[in-house]
Amino acid sequence: MKWSTINSILAASAVVSAFPAIEKKAVFANPSANGTKFTIDGVTKYFAGSNSYWIGFLTNNADIDLTMSHVASAGLKIFRVWGFNDVNGGGNGVYYQSHSSSGATINTGANGLQRMDVVVAAAEKYKVKLIINFVNFWDDYGGMNAYVKAYGGTKTGWYTNAKAQSVYQAYIKAVVNRYKNSSAIFAWELANEPRCPGCSTDVIYNWADASSKYVKSLDPNHMVTLGDEGMGVPGSSAYPYGTSEGTDFVKNLKIKTLDFGTYHWYPGSWGMANTDTAAWIKAHADACLAAGKPCLFEEYGVSSNHCATEKPWQAAARSTPGNSADLFWQWGDQLSTGQTHNDGNTIYVGSSDFQCLVTDHVKAIG
Ligand SMILES: *[C@@H]1O[C@H](CO)[C@@H](O)[C@H](O)[C@H]1NC(C)=O
Ligand SMILES: *[C@@H]1O[C@H](CO)[C@@H](O)[C@H](O)[C@H]1NC(C)=O
């Protein structure tokens, strides 16, 4: 717009302002990184959120609306959902992409990405910001294994398999172009917990570099993140600090087209103690401070004593500079079909655990 045009609009609005106030709709920039903090809807502070792998697979729109309304009224801002659901050769239920030896078909039908459309619309309605990922390292909902079954190779070879990568990028393009104008996107995420066991850390680094550049070429206006567990970080010789699963957290943070770091924490499955948590948070937060990017404590959970165990984790997460948001695993709700999946880590709306780990946490953030 030319300056003279702007001036005439300003002059016109000065006249209009003599009349009763016209309702103004606030329009905010997309969520962004501001140094080592996140900015959402113009507010730069610490944020809390949660994970729901299942919300995009629900078939009842009212259940999606109810869940999102609960997330918003709890004061959570970031909600991480599965943006993939890969099958081999069709399927009866909800799926997003079907793979066969002749190639992939993206399901944009009523039992396909139209389910995700409802999630994105609900997030817009309730001003919740979504992290949407593109593939699973694990075999749940197909994952990289669905690609391997159709195109050959191995899971560790998936990151460099030309056919798998061209199908993966075509899927990214379909999802990003479908939702990139939405106000509900917090960030795009390359994968859920990508690992390459026994590989050089260059494999995931190079793949993350190329893939994040590709996402930015489609949508330069949203953040991009890796979705890894944060393994490979200085601080200890214990298992998750090492690079045996193929990720180097500090090295990956150097990728210019990745806007923030992610890390997860399941001490029970990783041979660690619950009391090792503050050190795990600090190891990542220090790396994020050094890189000048925010850290997101993206998944954490235990299968018992949720409140007593995780309350100090959240206190450490809030008070460690460089760590800028946390998302507990996982959101639990009561839907038309009954209670959502109880994997032992689930925190259900209305429970005493919810009071402790959601209501009190959000209050402490202020
Ligand atoms: C970045 O954060 C600083 C301090 O927290 C704040 O003053 C500034 O307005 C923020 N910038 C944006 C673009 O939100
Ligand atoms: C997104 O917005 C751009 C410009 O703001 C527009 O050109 C494009 O058509 C929009 N895409 C969709 C899918 O709405």
Side-chain angles (χ1 to χ4, degrees):
M1 204 184 272
K2 281 191 299 188
W3 181 240
S4 57
T5 317
I6 293 170
N7 273 335
S8 57
I9 291 171
L10 289 174
S13 63
V15 175
V16 168
S17 67
F19 295 94
I22 295 165
E23 197 190 333
K24 282 194 195 125
K25 192 172 174 234
V27 177
F28 293 109
N30 289 321
S32 59
N34 178 354
T36 59
K37 292 230 180 292
F38 292 114
T39 301
I40 299 178
D41 290 346
V43 178
T44 302
K45 63 167 201 169
Y46 190 94
F47 292 100
S50 186
N51 287 273
S52 170
Y53 74 84
W54 42 259
I55 193 167
F57 312 149
L58 297 175
T59 52
N60 180 331
N61 294 356
D63 284 338
I64 294 171
D65 190 273
L66 181 80
T67 302
M68 210 61 84
S69 76
H70 286 162
V71 171
S73 62
L76 300 183
K77 264 296 178 195
I78 309 172
F79 209 48
R80 179 168 172 261
V81 305
W82 277 191
F84 55 82
N85 188 336
D86 293 283
V87 297
N88 292 96
N92 297 320
V94 173
Y95 68 95
Y96 295 162
Q97 179 164 239
S98 173
H99 305 267
S100 73
S101 54
S102 56
T105 308
I106 296 168
N107 181 7
T108 54
N111 66 340
L113 287 171
Q114 288 179 30
R115 302 314 310 149
M116 185 57 79
D117 295 352
V118 178
V119 174
V120 172
E124 286 176 358
K125 177 177 168 188
Y126 293 106
K127 299 186 167 50
V128 169
K129 307 298 174 182
L130 303 172
I131 296 179
I132 296 181
N133 50 26
F134 305 123
V135 71
N136 202 359
F137 168 75
W138 307 104
D139 298 350
D140 309 293
Y141 300 96
M144 295 174 190
N145 191 47
Y147 289 70
V148 169
K149 279 189 195 164
Y151 318 121
T154 60
K155 265 170 77 171
T156 51
W158 181 89
Y159 302 92
T160 52
N161 180 300
K163 178 66 184 171
Q165 290 308 305
S166 81
V167 169
Y168 171 66
Q169 290 203 345
Y171 185 69
I172 288 177
K173 188 175 187 177
V175 173
V176 169
N177 283 344
R178 200 173 176 94
Y179 304 122
K180 69 180 177 186
N181 286 3
S182 170
S183 62
I185 305 303
F186 182 77
W188 305 114
E189 183 168 273
L190 301 183
N192 175 50
E193 300 189 335
R195 290 183 176 187
C196 193
C199 305
S200 157
T201 57
D202 288 341
V203 174
I204 283 188
Y205 176 91
N206 290 335
W207 163 78
D209 186 47
S211 303
S212 57
K213 276 198 182 98
Y214 181 65
V215 178
K216 289 284 187 185
S217 77
L218 299 168
D219 177 11
N221 300 321
H222 282 105
M223 294 188 285
V224 180
T225 195
L226 181 50
D228 61 313
E229 297 152 289
M231 291 190 186
V233 68
S236 161
S237 56
Y239 161 69
Y241 287 82
T243 56
S244 63
E245 303 291 0
T247 55
D248 180 329
F249 183 78
V250 177
K251 183 160 102 177
N252 293 335
L253 268 182
K254 295 195 169 87
I255 295 173
K256 287 195 171 57
T257 39
L258 291 179
D259 296 280
F260 60 93
T262 57
Y263 63 104
H264 300 181
W265 182 239
Y266 295 99
S269 331
W270 293 352
M272 305 295 287
N274 291 336
T275 49
D276 293 331
T277 308
W280 181 248
I281 291 170
K282 186 158 193 320
H284 293 86
D286 284 350
C288 280
L289 287 176
K293 296 179 180 181
C295 255
L296 171 62
F297 190 18
E298 191 182 52
E299 287 189 21
Y300 55 90
V302 279
S303 53
S304 60
N305 297 323
H306 299 127
C307 175
T309 309
E310 295 175 70
K311 200 177 172 68
W313 298 4
Q314 292 182 329
R318 290 193 303 265
S319 65
T320 307
N323 187 68
S324 303
D326 71 85
L327 318 181
F328 66 88
W329 182 276
Q330 68 163 326
W331 181 266
D333 221 316
Q334 192 72 34
L335 305 181
S336 62
T337 45
Q339 201 181 55
T340 59
H341 179 210
N342 188 355
D343 62 356
N345 298 342
T346 313
I347 309 300
Y348 288 96
V349 173
S351 65
S352 59
D353 283 341
F354 193 88
Q355 174 70 39
C356 171
L357 297 173
V358 183
T359 313
D360 294 351
H361 182 40
V362 167
K363 197 171 167 200
I365 291 167

